[in-house]
Structure formats: C-alpha cells, structure tokens
Amino acid sequence: MDFLRAITPGEMQAGQVLSFATMAALLGSGVIPPLRPYGYWIRLVATVVYVGCVLGFVLYCALFR
C-alpha cells in the first residue's frame, strides 16, 4: 500500500466531503417525507456514485502516482 503515503491533504478532504454528502443523501432519503417515495432510487444512485468515486480514486492513485 505504497500509494497511501502520496495522498495529499486536499485529496483527503475531498474524500471526506464525498463521504459526508453520500451519508446525508442516504439518511435524508428516509427522513425527509417528500423524498420517501424516491428513497430506494436515491439510495441506489448515491451508493453507485460513491463506489464509483472510491474505485476511481484508488485507480488514479495506483496508476498515476
């Protein structure tokens, strides 16, 4: 795991923002009444986007660092 030493503080903060936004979408889709009918799709899209971003970041670090 040599690529973990190359992560900058800015990249770490971007990951934290992504995690917070995903968690807010997942929790908000079940708590906010107007969003409840669309909760399944909101959670599905948020999860797919999150996993895609994490995989993209890992590939970026592995290939370009």
Side-chain angles (χ1 to χ4, degrees), residues 32-51:
I32 300 171
L35 295 178
R36 284 185 188 155
Y38 309 105
Y40 172 77
W41 292 108
I42 292 171
R43 287 188 295 271
L44 181 67
V45 169
T47 302
V48 168
V49 168
Y50 181 76
V51 169

